[in-house]
């Protein structure tokens, strides 16, 4: 495999800064540091009924980003969803548009780090030799202590894990199509439903199952030293996530 075997999936939805396009421009710029020519499928979500007061700003944002896709950017294909579809349904609608065996999923406010290299050949070899279904690029320099129980050792620069996150990750199209998406709720965050299924199968009764892990082959890219290879621009800026646990997390309108 080589870099040409990767299609980037870039999801974007309404945020407080819209119609400003600075954040998505930064994310695209950071992607292009690593993958300058690969196709980007940009998923542009529709508005929730609760967010109709943002319609004017969001429509202007979409107009600006579509103009950039047409006149400024290279090899970005936008898919505009008229109805609110969220991560799960946008992926279901666009998965067959991916013509490569691998996808790199990136949320609009969670770019790759542009100033630290990723050994893409080493990552691609993990897929070539069927050692991985997914490799995530961590957003902190080390694994936090509270997450260590979800980690199962480092092998040649990759950490075995039962922790699914929607932060930037490289995955096979077939794994997403056959395992991830069928396990997700309609019109919802992918992470919020899939992480539970994955942990149940890798850590049944809180005990590590090698058979369970082999079903998912989930890793974190973990070179020596600083493992941070993505970061967060905080597009939501503390506003509502629109899930049942908003009150728990203190999200506001």
């Amino acid at each position: 495999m080589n870099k040409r075997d990767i299609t980037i999936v870039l999801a974007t939805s309404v945020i407080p800064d819209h119609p400003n396009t600075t954040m998505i421009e930064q994310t695209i710029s950071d992607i292009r540091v690593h993958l300058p020519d690969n196709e980007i499928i940009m998923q542009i979500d529709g508005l929730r009924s609760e967010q109709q007061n943002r319609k004017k700003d969001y429509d202007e944002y979409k107009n600006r980003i579509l103009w950039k896709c047409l006149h400024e950017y290279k090899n970005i294909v936008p898919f505009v969803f008229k109805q609110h579809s969220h991560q799960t349904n946008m992926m279901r609608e666009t998965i067959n548009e991916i013509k490569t065996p691998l996808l790199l999923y990136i949320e609009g406010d969670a770019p790759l780090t542009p100033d630290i290299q990723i050994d893409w050949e080493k990552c691609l070899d993990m897929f070539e030799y069927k050692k991985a279904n997914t490799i995530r690029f961590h957003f902190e320099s080390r694994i936090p202590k509270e997450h260590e129980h979800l980690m199962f050792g480092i092998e040649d620069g990759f950490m075995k894990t039962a922790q699914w996150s929607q932060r930037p990750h490289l995955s096979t199209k077939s794994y997403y199509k056959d395992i991830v998406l069928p396990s997700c709720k309609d019109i919802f965050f992918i992470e919020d439903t899939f992480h539970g299924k994955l942990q149940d199968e890798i850590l049944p009764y809180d005990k590590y199952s090698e058979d369970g892990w082999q079903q998912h082959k989930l890793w974190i890219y973990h070179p020596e030293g600083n493992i941070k290879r993505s970061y967060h621009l905080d597009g939501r800026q503390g506003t509502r996530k629109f899930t049942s646990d908003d009150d728990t997390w203190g999200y506001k309108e």
Side-chain angles (χ1 to χ4, degrees):
M1 286 187 174
N2 56 56
K3 284 185 176 183
R4 293 191 301 273
D5 291 316
I6 303 170
T7 297
I8 300 101
V9 176
L10 176 59
T12 183
S13 58
V14 67
I15 59 174
D17 276 356
H18 290 158
N20 191 300
T21 60
T22 300
M23 191 172 296
I24 198 72
E25 290 179 59
Q26 182 65 56
T27 299
I28 291 169
S29 175
D30 293 343
I31 290 169
R32 288 311 191 200
V33 169
H34 294 275
L35 300 167
D37 301 314
N38 296 57
E39 182 172 79
I40 297 175
I41 290 177
M42 184 184 290
Q43 302 168 337
I44 305 173
D45 202 1
L47 277 175
R48 292 178 174 274
S49 58
E50 303 98 321
Q51 296 172 308
Q52 290 303 311
N53 63 315
R54 300 301 319 284
K55 186 176 186 305
K56 182 178 178 181
D57 286 340
Y58 193 48
D59 284 349
E60 177 59 23
Y61 165 76
K62 289 188 287 185
N63 287 337
R64 294 180 186 181
I65 202 63
L66 290 171
W67 188 93
K68 288 177 178 291
C69 289
L70 186 61
H71 298 287
E72 184 176 327
Y73 293 135
K74 175 185 175 184
N75 209 15
I76 297 182
V77 182
F79 286 83
V80 181
F81 290 80
K82 293 182 179 179
Q83 305 296 324
H84 172 60
S85 301
H86 220 318
Q87 292 179 350
T88 54
N89 287 43
M90 288 196 296
M91 276 300 294
R92 287 174 180 144
E93 290 293 322
T94 56
I95 190 74
N96 288 328
E97 303 297 330
I98 298 171
K99 307 306 181 187
T100 57
L102 299 176
L103 65 91
L104 173 65
Y105 190 97
I106 296 184
E107 296 172 309
D109 66 345
L112 296 171
T113 52
D115 55 343
I116 310 177
Q117 289 186 345
I118 293 170
D119 190 337
W120 292 100
E121 288 188 12
K122 192 170 185 179
C123 291
L124 291 166
D125 282 347
M126 293 287 284
F127 295 98
E128 181 77 35
Y129 296 107
K130 311 297 183 185
K131 294 180 179 179
N133 288 329
T134 302
I135 298 170
R136 188 169 85 251
F137 301 105
H138 210 260
F139 67 99
E140 294 178 285
S141 61
R142 60 177 181 80
I143 303 296
K145 189 171 182 61
E146 58 269 26
H147 295 166
E148 288 179 357
H149 69 288
L150 299 172
M151 309 297 157
F152 312 111
I154 299 170
E155 297 182 17
D156 193 26
F158 297 91
M159 173 73 80
K160 253 184 177 179
T161 183
Q163 183 191 42
W164 181 271
S165 168
Q166 216 54 29
R167 294 295 175 91
H169 56 277
L170 195 60
S171 191
T172 68
K173 173 185 172 180
S174 59
Y175 179 70
Y176 245 85
K177 189 173 182 177
D178 298 337
I179 304 297
V180 178
L181 293 177
S183 306
C184 292
K185 291 182 183 178
D186 283 343
I187 316 177
F188 214 67
F189 291 98
I190 293 172
E191 175 184 331
D192 284 9
T193 50
F194 189 63
H195 81 96
K197 169 187 169 61
L198 191 143
Q199 286 188 28
D200 286 346
E201 293 179 356
I202 297 178
L203 286 170
Y205 308 104
D206 294 325
K207 293 187 180 297
Y208 173 71
S209 165
E210 179 65 20
D211 288 343
W213 187 85
Q214 287 292 337
Q215 294 180 52
H216 298 282
K217 297 179 182 177
L218 176 61
W219 304 87
I220 292 172
Y221 183 66
H222 201 293
E224 288 188 14
N226 180 10
I227 68 170
K228 182 183 177 74
R229 293 299 187 278
S230 68
Y231 67 106
H232 194 210
L233 295 169
D234 190 19
R236 200 161 55 236
Q237 297 177 16
T239 55
R240 279 195 65 184
K241 188 178 177 183
F242 288 100
T243 67
S244 58
D245 62 357
D246 286 349
D247 291 339
T248 301
W249 292 103
Y251 294 125
K252 57 184 182 295
E253 291 288 358

